[in-house]
């Protein structure tokens, strides 16, 4: 569900005319819907009415302060994977007590920063990290609350680049070493074991992988409790998928997902953390681009637009499909087009073999489901200016990240002194 709807022939973001936005801001730009963000957060939260659940929005999906603050306002926590994301979460008003820190490569500096912020917990991904966190915490005179991210060796049935819970992935502590790692953690100073953590992948479109993983976690919980550990939190990760294309089978509903968690952990007495990213933000954004020109080739027809893989990496990175529609429908005949950007890479495409009416130069296209892993995965390759982000709320809108100027991005670089002419 989202709040980008057509009124007669024109696309609106809630009650804002997308064409008027484009005239005001220039293209390309991302446009996010507050109502959609709120709806996704609230639906998931409400699905868990029976349980104590803390939704820790996964900041990497969409890291804009305006988006995080919208969720903070609803009571969301955050899942962060770097000091930069932790700073964003705190700046956006998320209380430290609702922030969890994941990731395989936390540095000593990042651990120190997070300990001083007093975050809810570190999700520790290896024995070596346990030992280092223990040292850093001891040096700071602090105690780090920890969960171990265990790798349940489950095939999430998703794209190989976003599968994280198989034995060959770099994430988490191997299942067979989980109990020994908890025993080790219990001996280290500066650490307090509070929970178990998993995250098996992203864009998961069936419940079965979750069921398999959660069942293993329940088993581990029992063993750890028997071994005398006081496990009070279960962080079940994110990963619930969303529909991208009109033909996609609907992924499991938040209610089905919540029922599964309730069935397996309802009696555990543990506080549940969830780390959804895509589910909250994915459908809450579009990328608006204008047509530079069309090019009819011998083998293919191309629509060349001013957005590119620098704004939307997912098609070339994961072979992902994003729906593309004209912002204003015209009656032109349909043809089959590849929609491509100006970047000098063959992989720079946004959609291939799409039926679209022949556009004119300057016509606007909307690319859907660009609220997650779009702006946050962006780059400035080819010295492009990062596209601005706009947040709409009913009939209001605000630019929540401005388009930089060329001088801004060039100011960080310099020609070395030895090349400067006297
Ligand atoms: C990326 C990530 C998430 C969010 O995944 P989604 O598929 O966007 O829900 C949650 N937890 C961790 C540890 C992650 O790396």
């Amino acid at each position: 569900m989202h709040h980008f709807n057509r009124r007669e022939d024109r696309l609106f973001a809630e009650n804002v005319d997308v064409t008027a936005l484009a005239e005001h801001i220039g293209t390309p730009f991302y446009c996010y819907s507050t109502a959609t963000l709120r709806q996704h957060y609230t639906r998931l939260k409400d699905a868990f009415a029976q349980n104590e659940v803390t939704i820790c929005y996964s900041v990497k999906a969409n890291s804009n302060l305006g988006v995080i603050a919208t969720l903070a306002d609803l009571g969301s926590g955050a899942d962060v994977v770097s000091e930069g994301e932790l700073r964003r979460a705190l700046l956006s008003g998320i209380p430290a007590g609702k922030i969890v820190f994941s990731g395989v490569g936390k540095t000593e500096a990042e651990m120190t920063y997070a300990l001083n912020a007093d975050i809810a917990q570190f999700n520790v991904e290896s024995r070596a990290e346990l030992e280092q966190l223990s040292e850093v915490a001891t040096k700071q005179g602090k105690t780090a609350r920890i969960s171990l991210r265990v790798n349940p060796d489950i095939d999430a049935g998703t794209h190989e680049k976003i599968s994280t819970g198989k034995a060959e992935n770099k994430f988490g502590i191997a299942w067979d070493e989980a109990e020994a790692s908890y025993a080790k953690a219990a001996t280290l100073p500066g650490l307090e074991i509070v929970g178990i953590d998993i995250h098996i992948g992203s864009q998961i479109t069936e419940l079965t992988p979750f069921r398999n993983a959660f069942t293993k976690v329940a088993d581990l919980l029992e063993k750890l409790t028997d071994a005398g550990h006081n496990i009070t939190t279960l962080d079940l990760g994110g990963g619930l998928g969303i529909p991208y294309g009109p033909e996609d089978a609907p992924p499991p509903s938040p209610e089905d997902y919540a029922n599964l968690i309730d069935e397996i952990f309802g009696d555990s007495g543990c506080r549940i953390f969830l780390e959804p990213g895509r589910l909250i933000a994915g459908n809450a954004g579009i990328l608006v681009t204008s047509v530079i020109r069309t090019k009819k080739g011998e083998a293919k027809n191309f629509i060349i637009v001013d957005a590119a893989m620098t704004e939307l990496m997912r098609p070339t990175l994961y072979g992902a499909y994003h729906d593309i529609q004209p912002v204003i429908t015209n009656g032109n005949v349909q043809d089959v087009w590849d929609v491509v950007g100006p970047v000098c890479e063959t992989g720079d495409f946004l959609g291939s073999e799409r039926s679209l009416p022949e556009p004119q130069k300057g016509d606007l296209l909307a690319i859907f489901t660009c609220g997650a892993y779009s702006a946050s995965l962006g780059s400035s390759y080819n010295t492009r200016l990062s596209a601005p982000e706009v947040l709409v709320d009913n009939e209001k809108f605000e630019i929540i990240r401005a388009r930089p100027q060329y001088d801004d991005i060039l100011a960080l670089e310099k020609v070395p002194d030895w090349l400067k002419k006297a």
Side-chain angles (χ1 to χ4, degrees):
M1 259 303 291
H2 59 70
H3 293 75
F4 300 98
N5 293 310
R6 230 163 253 292
R7 290 202 194 149
E8 289 165 15
D9 57 349
R10 300 169 83 85
L11 185 68
F12 275 69
E14 302 189 21
N15 284 315
V16 177
D17 181 352
V18 171
T19 308
L21 269 184
E23 278 160 15
H24 182 73
I25 296 154
T27 56
F29 68 96
Y30 303 92
C31 174
Y32 307 134
S33 152
T34 298
T36 313
L37 289 167
R38 285 197 183 126
Q39 177 182 307
H40 290 329
Y41 176 90
T42 308
R43 181 160 167 201
L44 183 62
K45 180 82 184 162
D46 289 352
F48 282 91
Q50 314 305 320
N51 274 313
E52 205 200 332
V53 63
T54 303
I55 296 180
C56 294
Y57 166 66
S58 178
V59 168
K60 75 176 191 287
N62 185 323
S63 330
N64 189 290
L65 298 180
V67 169
I68 308 170
T70 300
L71 298 167
D73 194 45
L74 301 173
S76 184
D79 165 46
V80 302
V81 295
S82 68
E83 180 178 329
E85 287 190 357
L86 175 53
R87 286 174 180 264
R88 285 178 180 276
L90 292 168
L91 258 178
S92 308
I94 296 196
K98 288 187 183 174
I99 299 180
V100 301
F101 194 167
S102 307
V104 295
K106 302 175 199 78
T107 64
E108 193 173 322
E110 289 180 313
M111 290 173 178
T112 306
Y113 186 84
L115 279 166
N116 286 323
D118 200 21
I119 62 164
Q121 71 182 40
F122 292 81
N123 291 333
V124 175
E125 303 219 13
S126 63
R127 290 260 201 133
E129 185 189 334
L130 262 184
E131 284 164 18
Q132 193 177 12
L133 183 58
S134 163
E135 271 170 37
V136 176
T138 311
K139 200 156 69 181
Q140 300 288 319
K142 308 249 178 207
T143 300
R145 285 174 291 273
I146 59 156
S147 279
L148 296 192
R149 176 168 175 182
V150 288
N151 184 327
D153 193 18
I154 294 283
D155 186 350
T158 187
H159 189 277
E160 60 172 78
K161 285 187 181 150
I162 49 176
S163 182
T164 58
K166 287 202 277 184
E168 69 256 33
N169 298 137
K170 71 178 176 184
F171 299 99
I173 290 171
W175 194 258
D176 293 342
E177 291 169 23
E179 285 167 82
S181 302
Y182 275 92
K184 173 78 188 171
T187 67
L188 294 172
L191 302 182
E192 180 194 349
I193 297 171
V194 296
I196 307 175
D197 168 50
I198 55 163
H199 171 71
I200 59 172
S202 199
Q203 185 53 14
I204 298 169
T205 52
E206 300 164 57
L207 277 187
T208 308
F210 289 117
R211 177 181 288 281
N212 295 341
F214 297 165
T215 306
K216 289 184 90 167
V217 170
D219 186 46
L220 180 62
L221 172 62
E222 205 177 303
K223 289 190 175 133
L224 294 176
T225 307
D226 288 349
H229 299 291
N230 184 22
I231 304 293
T232 55
T233 73
L234 297 173
D235 182 338
L236 301 178
L240 191 56
I242 60 170
Y244 277 88
E247 280 119 56
D248 287 358
S253 68
E255 291 76 18
D256 289 345
Y257 177 71
N259 287 341
L260 174 68
I261 291 171
D262 193 41
E263 175 195 323
I264 299 179
F265 300 113
D267 300 328
S268 69
C270 289
R271 173 175 173 195
I272 306 280
F273 285 115
L274 300 175
E275 303 172 344
R278 189 188 311 269
L279 182 72
I280 305 279
N283 280 316
I286 58 174
L287 173 61
V288 181
T289 182
S290 52
V291 173
I292 297 175
R293 62 181 64 89
T294 58
K295 186 172 165 185
K296 290 206 161 179
E298 269 176 26
K300 285 210 163 201
N301 300 325
F302 296 99
I303 300 175
I304 303 166
V305 296
D306 62 2
M309 63 188 285
T310 44
E311 286 73 44
L312 181 61
M313 179 87 95
R314 299 188 70 262
T316 194
L317 194 57
Y318 311 130
Y321 176 95
H322 284 258
D323 194 21
I324 303 178
Q325 292 176 21
V327 168
I328 300 181
T329 45
N330 65 29
N332 290 355
V333 285
Q334 302 258 335
D335 212 335
V336 177
W337 305 89
D338 277 13
V339 180
V340 302
V343 165
C344 298
E345 290 285 337
T346 303
D348 178 30
F349 71 98
L350 301 168
S352 63
E353 308 201 341
R354 301 302 176 83
S355 282
L356 287 165
E358 174 147 13
Q360 303 290 309
K361 169 176 176 293
D363 282 0
L364 298 173
L365 296 178
I367 305 170
F368 285 79
T369 328
C370 288
Y373 305 110
S374 300
S376 61
L377 258 172
S379 79
S380 56
Y381 184 42
N382 282 204
T383 309
R384 290 166 56 81
L385 298 174
S386 300
E389 297 171 274
V390 180
L391 183 64
V392 166
D393 183 9
N394 195 2
E395 79 293 340
K396 296 194 294 278
F397 72 87
E398 195 154 323
I399 297 174
I400 55 173
R401 183 181 71 188
R403 196 188 309 278
Q405 309 274 313
Y406 285 110
D407 286 347
D408 298 336
I409 60 172
L410 295 176
L412 290 170
E413 299 176 27
K414 70 178 293 210
V415 174
D417 286 343
W418 63 83
L419 292 179
K420 286 190 184 141
K421 305 280 180 289

